[in-house]
Amino acid sequence: MSTTDNPPILEVSEFNVDYGYGDDAVRAVTDVSFSLGQSKVLGIAGESGSGKSTLVYALTRLLRAPGIITGGKATLRLLRQENDLPFDLLNATEAELRGIRWSQVSIVMQSALNALNPLQRIGKEFNEVLKLHDTSLSKADRKARAIELLALVDLGPDRLQRYPHELSGGQRQRVVIALALALRPELVIMDEPTTALDVVTQREIVSKLYELRQRLGFAMIFITHDLSLLVELADEIMVMYAGRIVERAPATHLYQAPRHPYTLGLMDSFPPLFGERVQMSGIPGSPPMLKSPPTGCAFHPRCAAAHDRCREESPPLVAIEDGQRSVACWLHDPTSTHEVPVALTRRHVAASEAN
Ligand code: SF4
């Protein structure tokens, strides 16, 4: 299922990632396929260890040993290049990859504090990125562009003289987002960019990202453990558990009617970012150890709807609802005689609808 009717900017198929080799290998990402449309936002949600960060670091070839890509394909379309040829991410050389990082694809890492050099003023960060990737710019041009980029994220030019520790967490994250946009990439990957921030600042950053995407037209992959952050931002959401996609659907469909018990659990783990406060119930237990995953459906030890088949067979990801959604859960198998829990049949009302 594509996130759009336009040709996708990124296509991934049957992608696998292991940690370690031979008998010690642990499968961290299993059989992941998806595509991302131009200017679209794909949200990837899941708890720690679900494989969501491993997936994007592997796709962008930033995964460090002992992480290894063990199968699949990943193709990027460089739409701004004259020949518009597909770029094979997995077989590209380091030099070819350097040629697309920042200018075509940029990544915002989890902690803005780690992304910025603590001994360097913010202005120097911008100057270095722009100088390295766009030699046509003069020093004055680079400064003007840095000011323009800071303005995009509502920060004044005075921030260029500051060191990272002189900025708040939210301001640092805005600086990192502005840096990621410095060379007008077509795809921006955000790996839990709001995790360390308070709820009000999270809300501001998500609203800002939404506005920037509308204005600048880049596509985005936004990774988070907090599904509520994606409802307003993403076009499509992919939920991962134990390295697999367990549900994928347009954001509003997924939020209004989660079909996988894990998606429902994630939704009940975080208060909605917008709207009234509600009591959260969360998910019992912890994610599985990937070295010794449970038999059958990896979620069965934590799932209130688990039955015998779940403990024995792993459910495949199958399209339901006329292909609008995919889900990996035996409850949605046409041959299943098990009743779908009422919580998975009700329609949730998005905060934006309720207001
Ligand atoms: Fe729960 Fe079974 Fe569905 Fe897995 S397959 S999520 S254990 S009902």
Side-chain angles (χ1 to χ4, degrees), residues 24-346:
D24 290 331
V26 170
R27 179 56 51 94
V29 172
T30 306
D31 204 18
V32 165
S33 300
F34 69 91
S35 61
L36 173 64
Q38 296 162 38
S39 305
K40 296 290 176 181
V41 180
L42 172 68
I44 306 181
E47 296 164 292
S48 297
S50 61
K52 54 194 192 309
S53 295
T54 299
L55 169 66
V56 294
Y57 283 82
L59 285 175
T60 49
R61 303 273 308 278
L62 291 170
L63 190 68
R64 301 241 170 95
I68 324 151
I69 298 164
T70 48
K73 284 187 185 161
T75 309
L76 191 68
R77 283 195 58 205
L78 302 176
L79 302 169
R80 289 202 199 116
Q81 293 202 353
E82 278 169 19
N83 55 17
D84 184 18
L85 287 174
F87 184 92
D88 181 348
L89 277 164
L90 306 191
N91 290 308
T93 62
E94 268 308 313
E96 286 167 338
L97 290 164
R98 273 198 301 278
I100 62 154
R101 287 192 187 125
W102 292 92
S103 59
Q104 302 288 338
V105 180
S106 63
I107 301 195
V108 173
M109 309 280 187
Q110 276 184 25
S111 166
L113 202 52
N114 295 340
L116 298 170
N117 183 341
L119 304 175
Q120 197 158 275
R121 291 181 204 273
I122 301 300
K124 200 167 176 202
E125 293 273 359
F126 280 96
N127 188 50
E128 284 186 354
V129 169
L130 292 166
K131 196 172 172 182
L132 193 65
H133 295 274
D134 191 346
T135 45
S136 68
L137 295 176
S138 67
K139 195 173 177 190
D141 289 340
R142 292 197 293 271
K143 186 170 180 191
R145 177 75 181 137
I147 291 170
E148 190 183 304
L149 286 161
L150 284 177
L152 270 183
V153 292
D154 302 329
L155 293 176
D158 57 306
R159 299 304 197 283
L160 290 177
Q161 295 307 315
R162 306 279 178 87
Y163 287 96
H165 73 269
E166 295 178 305
L167 304 179
S168 68
Q171 287 171 346
R172 283 195 294 264
Q173 198 53 279
R174 283 167 186 263
V175 167
V176 174
I177 291 168
L179 276 167
L181 300 177
L183 298 171
R184 302 179 179 88
E186 292 185 60
L187 172 60
V188 180
I189 297 173
M190 303 264 169
D191 183 18
E192 308 231 24
T194 61
T195 300
L197 306 174
D198 63 76
V199 175
V200 174
T201 314
Q202 283 187 6
R203 181 179 174 154
E204 286 170 5
I205 296 277
V206 167
S207 298
K208 177 49 69 182
L209 286 171
Y210 182 82
E211 179 205 318
L212 289 172
R213 193 280 298 242
Q214 297 286 94
R215 232 164 107 184
L216 306 176
F218 51 83
M220 178 160 55
I221 296 178
F222 191 103
I223 298 170
T224 180
H225 58 281
D226 181 352
L227 199 49
S228 70
L229 286 177
L230 297 175
V231 177
E232 311 284 328
L233 183 66
D235 295 292
E236 189 179 46
I237 297 176
M238 201 160 91
V239 178
M240 291 186 70
Y241 189 75
R244 291 176 184 270
I245 301 172
V246 294
E247 185 163 7
R248 190 175 67 198
T252 46
H253 292 213
L254 188 119
Y255 187 77
Q256 290 172 352
R259 297 294 185 227
H260 195 285
Y262 180 61
T263 310
L264 183 67
L266 275 186
M267 280 178 59
D268 284 344
S269 300
F270 293 91
L273 199 59
F274 301 87
E276 288 177 17
R277 282 167 176 252
V278 285
Q279 185 71 36
M280 297 289 104
S281 53
I283 309 171
S286 343
M289 301 289 290
L290 292 177
K291 204 164 176 51
S292 50
T295 55
C297 171
F299 188 56
H300 86 249
R302 307 172 74 190
C303 180
H307 46 280
D308 287 348
R309 190 179 192 184
C310 309
R311 288 178 264 277
E312 289 154 13
E313 295 174 67
S314 176
L317 185 72
V318 291
I320 58 170
E321 300 170 7
D322 294 331
Q324 286 276 313
R325 184 193 305 254
S326 302
V327 68
C329 172
W330 289 126
L331 292 173
H332 302 285
D333 187 81
T335 62
S336 173
T337 52
H338 286 266
E339 206 166 308
V340 178
V342 94
L344 288 172
T345 58
R346 74 172 187 237

